[in-house]
Amino acid sequence: MRAAARGPHRLFGRVLPGAALAAILGATGLAGVGAAHSDDDDDATSLHLVTLRGPGTTGHRGPASPEVVAQRMLAQQSAVLDAVHATDPVYQWTTALNGFAVELSEEQHDALVGDDRVALVEENAVRPLADVADSPAGAAALPPRDRGGSGGAGTVIGFVDTGIDPASPAFSQVDALGRTPHRFAGSCADAPDDPDWDETDCSDKIVGAQFYVDGFGVDELRTTAALSPRDTYGHGTEAASVAAGIGHAPARSGRHRLGRFSGVAPQARIAVYKACWSAPDPADDGCATADLVAAIDQAARDRVDVLNLSVGGPSGTIDTVERALLGATEAGVVVTAAAGNDGSTAYAAHPSPWVVTVGASTSAPRVGAVVATHGPRLDGAMVATAPVAPAPLVLGADAAAAGVGEADARVCAPGSLDARAVHDAIVLCERGSVPRVDKSQTVRLADGAGMVLVNTEAGSTDADLHAVPTVHLSAREGRTLRAWAADRRRPEVRLVALGRERTPTRVARFSSGGDPTWSVIKPDLVAPGTSVLAATTGGGWDVVSGTSVATAHVSGVAAILLGRPGSTPAEVRSALLTSTAPIGRHSGLRAGTGEVRISRVPPMGYLVDPRHYRGWLVGRRADLDLPQALMRTGRLAVRRTITNTGRRPLWLTTRLLGFDSPVLVSPSAGLLRPGRTLTFRISLPTAPRTTDTGTVLWRTYAGDETRLAVVITR
């Protein structure tokens, strides 16, 4: 594990002046903690996250105020720290959970594990962001979608990520944000160590910004990292733009005019909790769990409406991060988190039932063609919309600059092409050795008019934002083009945009699926997550893929639903899962309930009281009223309760879709008056021979419906 830098003492996730800190610690019995040390100063220590039993202030039930409860928690934390002679804690949390981050020796760790007041002790770890470097096979960049500049008014989406670039056109000041959020209580941090950030960088759009680095360690940062909420990585800016970028934002990249862009919920406000950082070695980039929990704790205190966590994590375990997310849910927050990008090599992250875990679906690819004069038409991936007129086709291998080897010119490595040979020509560059977009930049700098990128072996074809119009061909199509060109003295081709290809939506190959032995279906649903256009740092635009961008999409949908009068977090969590569109015949452990679609909150739903989530956490695993059910041998019957959340009586009837097994639902119909519930039983007489999936559909005479996904495993 990377050694954690010892940061300033933090209370409630904020750095406090020495006098104020001493006064608070003196009142709570923590004043002596900083002077306490391990019995053996030579013992090696590492940063640990310690969670005490019981909820944070958001889950507290009783007459005492949150401030009084927080003081009691701090006193309890002081006693636990004193018991093991621990040093000054790096973070203390009292909102989303009752706990702290502190340096511990092995002996201190073992002592806390055996302390009845302690629920969990785990070592600080760095988790990856849930994005992918390359687009999956067959994907191409989505054009920007201008949704008319509405949706999400009055809501705040919190992003625990790499920060934000406030100068991006996706977050420019606008007058159409609608009503001011009434819940949000956050603020914008000053950052004296970053001359390019000021608290005035917040605006009517970016309403809060904080940063947390003590878990990752200041000494572990890349030199270009900014000690502020400012994003120097790009990931946080991309996620925020997809979820809540303003409507009608002009998008352009190089020679590409990309039209007008809008996030899913362009009227939603943005709160930033930077907890993810870049290291000198990109392999070490990520988010320390201590920083993540501090950010989640602050977001819960700030009372954001939606919390977006585009960070991976372990499956099949409820760790400190998941416990903090429960505290956020208890604060009335709709929490969305990424399933992860490990495909079939790991199960979906964020397995807790209080988190809306999001996988990625594919986007309809954009395609183009290389049209040879008196020759074949070869289709491939292409994002550019403007055609390239007929021009000579030049092989990169035949256009090497002076002193450059043929191997470099063949792949169009930077500086490898002779401008005299490729001026106004379309250059054929082979894939490999250097990034794809660097090849088109080489062609542009050599005054080429366009590029044909060809695979040399089986692999993906990707439509990137290239410096010149580009068609990316498969290896087979590339061989056809080379063979045709070899028979011509002056081969000539043109590049043509063909628009978006009609292909069925499917789950992206990299999107992690669920664990069949777990107690709930994960991911809960999927959303567009391949080659999506997003704003990035420096005022630019990029094509991004991963369950992170899919999560941002769902966060935007959640903000739209919450922005509608009368919607509650429980209703929105239900609506997200019950109004999805099926992917293929079965969804199951790859797609959850299906692909998200923007819809109004239906007048009925599966409502879970957050207190029942906490009961599930401590072992009371009775059926939660989730809009999904995972059944298996030994558990072939579950109960669910559906609630009429509307103002009119509803006559409900049920229909079963997709099952191969003889699934029964009882009762199969019922009259629900406003506010009343219907409890029904889903059962199977015998275990299925293979995994089976399907949907229990409840429908009203008015046409409203909810879909409850069911997976049955052996």
Side-chain angles (χ1 to χ4, degrees), residues 36-39 78-87 100 102-105 107-113 115 117:
H37 296 281
S38 171
D39 292 335
S78 175
V80 172
L81 288 161
D82 283 344
V84 295
H85 305 293
T87 58
F100 49 84
V102 67
E103 293 279 343
L104 296 176
S105 66
E107 181 181 0
Q108 291 170 320
H109 166 274
D110 293 344
L112 288 180
V113 168
D115 192 320
R117 295 167 293 183

Side-chain angles (χ1 to χ4, degrees), residues 8-14 16 21 24-25 28 30 33 50 70 73-78 81 88-95 97-102 290 293-294 297-298 301:
H9 191 130
R10 289 176 182 253
L11 193 67
F12 299 134
R14 296 189 179 114
L16 296 179
L21 178 63
I24 293 175
L25 295 182
T28 61
L30 275 175
V33 172
V50 180
M73 291 180 185
L74 290 171
Q76 184 187 33
Q77 292 176 22
S78 175
L81 288 161
D88 199 8
V90 174
Y91 290 118
Q92 289 179 272
W93 310 301
T94 60
T95 304
L97 49 70
N98 179 9
F100 49 84
V102 67
V293 173
D297 192 69
Q298 184 64 52
R301 186 176 307 108

Side-chain angles (χ1 to χ4, degrees), residues 218-378:
V218 173
D219 294 339
E220 302 296 330
L221 298 180
R222 190 178 304 172
T223 56
T224 56
L227 282 172
S228 75
R230 183 168 62 89
D231 187 7
T232 59
Y233 186 98
H235 191 275
T237 300
E238 292 158 2
S241 71
V242 169
I246 65 167
H248 311 297
R252 181 169 183 168
S253 179
R255 298 183 182 182
H256 299 288
R257 293 181 182 273
L258 302 171
R260 297 276 174 176
F261 175 88
S262 174
V264 175
Q267 289 182 294
R269 266 75 164 192
I270 294 167
V272 176
Y273 303 90
K274 183 177 178 180
C276 302
W277 302 87
S278 51
D281 183 348
D284 294 332
D285 293 350
C287 323
T289 50
D291 297 330
L292 290 174
V293 173
I296 295 166
D297 192 69
Q298 184 64 52
R301 186 176 307 108
D302 290 345
R303 296 174 64 83
V304 299
D305 297 289
V306 181
L307 185 60
N308 185 100
L309 184 65
S310 294
V311 180
S315 61
T317 183
I318 305 300
D319 60 8
T320 311
V321 171
E322 296 300 293
R323 289 169 178 263
L325 294 175
L326 171 57
T329 300
E330 291 172 325
V333 179
V334 175
V335 177
T336 65
N341 304 326
D342 295 317
S344 60
T345 63
Y347 291 130
H350 305 291
S352 52
W354 49 85
V355 173
V356 179
T357 306
V358 185
S361 57
T362 59
S363 305
R366 292 189 65 86
V367 295
V370 180
V371 181
T373 302
H374 307 300
R377 190 190 93 165
L378 306 169

Side-chain angles (χ1 to χ4, degrees), residues 21 147 164 177 289 331 375 420 442 501-502 560 567 578 620 642 664 666 672-673 692 712:
L21 178 63
R147 299 171 178 82
I164 198 165
L177 290 175
T289 50
R420 292 171 298 178
T442 301
E501 187 177 50
R502 293 182 179 273
I560 289 176
S567 297
T578 60
R620 296 193 294 272
I642 190 168
L664 302 175
S666 179
L672 256 68
R673 301 193 181 278
D692 193 8
I712 309 167

